[in-house]
Amino acid sequence: AQSVSQHNHHVILSEAASLELGCNYSYGGTVNLFWYVQYPGQHLQLLLKYFSGDPLVKGIKGFEAEFIKSKFSFNLRKPSVQWSDTAEYFCAVKGTGGGNKLTFGTGTQLKVEL
Amino acid sequence: GAVVSQHPSRVICKSGTSVKIECRSLDFQATTMFWYRQFPKKSLMLMATSNEGSKATYEQGVEKDKFLINHASLTLSTLTVTSAHPEDSSFYICSAIIGTGGYGYTFGSGTRLTVV
């Protein structure tokens, strides 16, 4: 079975600070990895995804994530956050041998202060 | 892009009644849809996978007789919470696969169910 853990439940940053949100997964085979963002009152939106190839993935709004296979990690980063990045962030994994089911982490609530 | 419309966004119902939540794919055909439940400060928990024209596949621990899922067309899946109780109060989210291969997912905006 696949699982995901996100270590930071709440993060508070000032504008222009750098962001890194941790995500570790557990699965015995090849995985597809995703980061989703949920702004207040809105649906989940895809930030970026990794399927294969370059382990450094660039997404929308200046976000990027690095897949480190040896560490089973897929941390999300942004060099300089903005107030509008305040949202909840979810890491998700899909094991390629487990159908199309996504397994989500518990989410990280990010608050960016002016 | 591919959009999934979920209704209602909020519903309050009395204990013992049933509530239906709809999930429609607006500009694409959704062969496979997923229903999630999200508890406060918790992850999205997959409840079931629904495939058009066939019975839904429920995750372990999810009562299929309580959470009825119907996916009768390529654009509509419904989740009916039957004989609702306060413990069923939660945030329910539907999702659909975009295209083939399971490489993309789109999500509904969720339904906040409160059972009183």
Side-chain angles (χ1 to χ4, degrees), chain A residues 34-38 42-46 90 92 102-104, chain B residues 2-6 23-24 28 34-36 44 46 92-98 104-110:
Chain A
F34 305 79
W35 273 99
Y36 286 91
V37 61
Q38 188 174 31
Q42 295 189 27
H43 61 274
L44 282 162
Q45 299 173 39
L46 181 68
F90 293 92
L102 277 181
T103 298
F104 286 85
Chain B
V3 174
V4 165
S5 175
Q6 185 173 345
C23 185
R24 292 182 184 272
F28 69 103
F34 304 91
W35 286 95
Y36 292 87
L44 281 75
L46 180 65
Y92 294 88
I93 302 174
C94 69
S95 172
I97 293 177
I98 307 167
Y105 302 81
T106 185
F107 292 82
S109 52

Side-chain angles (χ1 to χ4, degrees), chain A residues 53-73:
Chain A
D54 189 345
L56 184 60
V57 180
K58 294 194 182 298
I60 61 172
K61 306 187 180 189
F63 287 92
E64 65 178 33
E66 185 175 11
F67 171 51
I68 303 179
K69 190 175 180 180
S70 60
K71 294 184 178 180
F72 297 89
S73 69

